[in-house]
Amino acid sequence: MFDEIRALLDLPGMGLAITVGPVVWLVIWLFLSVCLWRGGFIDLVEKLTRPRWAGAERARAVMLMPVRAVMLTLAAALAATITTVGLAFNLAIVISVIEAIRGGG
């Protein structure tokens, strides 16, 4: 098992993929965080702005905003990590297929 991983890491271009991986993760994480944050606070903001909600509900909404922000950010981080790892494995497979074709075997 470790020999297969070492063979994938020794492929040409994997150094670049490992270097670019964190940048790809950051871009995916920012995109997902913005997407989740856009619609993730609608109910809490409504409780703050509508006059029909009591003071206790408004206070609860204010206290839940940081918790919801952290939860959405962590969900985006998890999704970005899974996506980046999947892209890296797919890139490694494509590089190994190209190398196998070039090497004739």
Side-chain angles (χ1 to χ4, degrees), residues 67 74 95 105:
V67 173
L74 291 176
I95 290 174

Side-chain angles (χ1 to χ4, degrees), residues 84-104:
T84 305
V85 169
L87 288 173
F89 278 116
N90 287 331
L91 180 65
I93 290 169
V94 168
I95 290 174
S96 65
V97 167
I98 289 172
E99 288 300 313
I101 291 172
R102 283 186 186 167

Side-chain angles (χ1 to χ4, degrees), residues 30-105:
L30 286 174
F31 175 74
L32 291 174
S33 292
V34 168
C35 289
L36 289 173
W37 278 38
R38 270 188 72 206
F41 297 100
I42 293 173
D43 60 330
L44 297 177
V45 172
E46 180 183 341
K47 287 182 181 180
L48 288 175
T49 57
R50 305 263 180 180
R52 67 179 176 193
W53 295 102
E57 284 295 320
R58 288 183 183 190
R60 183 175 176 269
V62 168
M63 289 187 292
L64 278 178
M65 279 190 178
V67 173
R68 176 100 37 108
V70 169
M71 286 177 21
L72 292 175
T73 302
L74 291 176
L78 178 64
T81 302
I82 292 169
T83 303
T84 305
V85 169
L87 288 173
F89 278 116
N90 287 331
L91 180 65
I93 290 169
V94 168
I95 290 174
S96 65
V97 167
I98 289 172
E99 288 300 313
I101 291 172
R102 283 186 186 167

Side-chain angles (χ1 to χ4, degrees), residues 5-34:
I5 294 173
R6 184 170 304 278
L8 284 176
L9 290 175
D10 289 339
L11 288 173
M14 285 308 289
L16 177 65
I18 290 172
T19 304
V20 175
V23 175
V24 171
W25 180 87
L26 181 67
V27 169
I28 294 170
W29 176 71
L30 286 174
F31 175 74
L32 291 174
S33 292
V34 168

